[in-house]
Structures are given as structure tokens and as C-alpha cells.
Amino acid sequence: MVGSLPWSVKAAIAIVGLSGTKEKGLAISARSGRHSGENSVDAKVVLALFLRREHRYDEARAYMHDLAGRYPRNYLFPVEEANLLRSGGHLQEAAGRLSQGLAKRTRRQVRHPAL
């Protein structure tokens, strides 16, 4: 995260001892995402966010595709995968993936506890 900050902010942060680059941060997040610990899902979501910011849509999509497979009832992962496909110029595939994600959303029933 520090690597994406303006130079003046990086200089101020370096004074207190924090430093980093974009690539180093992405590598740390990727390493966390490869492990099966508690933080692997969070790492993949954050990594996809930063990869999207860097216009690396295919890499980000791979993480969302993996999460959509691991959590088939979650409709947000396929919807985000569709957004990444659209951003990468794969419009037909994006439309199909979006339809799948939205279909999961409409099948899901929200149950409210009795008040």
C-alpha cells in the first residue's frame, strides 16, 4: 500500500520506519493468498483490488474465479469476476458470468428472525 502513495507521503512514512513498493506488497499478498490460513481469502480479495488498480485484470480475475469456486453460494465473487472480465475487454464472457452471479443472488432467500 505504501508503494502506491505520493512521494511526499512516502517520505513522511519513511521517517517513522515504514517502507515498501507496489511489487513487494503484491508479492506479500500473493504469498498470503497461496496459504490455506485464515487470512488467505482476505489476501486474495485485497490482491484482486490492487491488481485491478494496476489494470492487471486477468491476474485479478484468477483470484476472484478461485474464490467463486471455493464459495459457490457467494454471489459477489462471480459478479466481481464479471466486472474484471468487462474491464479486460471480454464482454461476452463477462455477461455470462454476471448472469451466473445474479442468478445466485435471486435464488438466495433472506430470512429475517421474528421480531
Side-chain angles (χ1 to χ4, degrees):
M1 290 177 27
V2 174
S4 65
L5 295 172
W7 181 87
S8 58
V9 176
K10 282 192 226 180
I13 290 175
I15 291 171
V16 296
L18 296 175
S19 65
T21 65
K22 289 179 192 178
E23 291 306 317
K24 184 177 176 182
L26 291 173
I28 291 169
S29 294
R31 187 172 57 234
S32 296
R34 282 191 296 272
H35 297 295
S36 60
E38 289 180 19
N39 297 327
S40 69
V41 173
D42 296 334
K44 287 179 181 180
V45 170
V46 168
L47 187 56
L49 174 85
F50 284 115
L51 289 169
R52 170 189 271 284
R53 186 174 185 271
E54 297 297 315
H55 305 283
R56 293 164 58 177
Y57 305 119
D58 291 335
E59 293 175 65
R61 182 192 158 273
Y63 289 106
M64 286 296 109
H65 184 76
D66 177 58
L67 291 171
R70 284 179 59 187
Y71 299 97
R73 294 182 63 197
N74 186 319
Y75 69 94
L76 294 175
F77 294 136
V79 168
E80 180 56 23
E81 184 182 355
N83 285 328
L84 289 162
L85 284 164
R86 181 191 51 80
S87 296
H90 306 285
L91 301 180
Q92 292 289 15
E93 194 177 350
R97 195 65 175 136
L98 181 60
S99 295
Q100 291 173 356
L102 294 177
K104 289 180 184 184
R105 174 68 175 122
T106 56
R107 283 194 305 258
R108 191 173 135 223
Q109 295 178 351
V110 178
R111 298 177 189 227
H112 297 286
L115 298 176

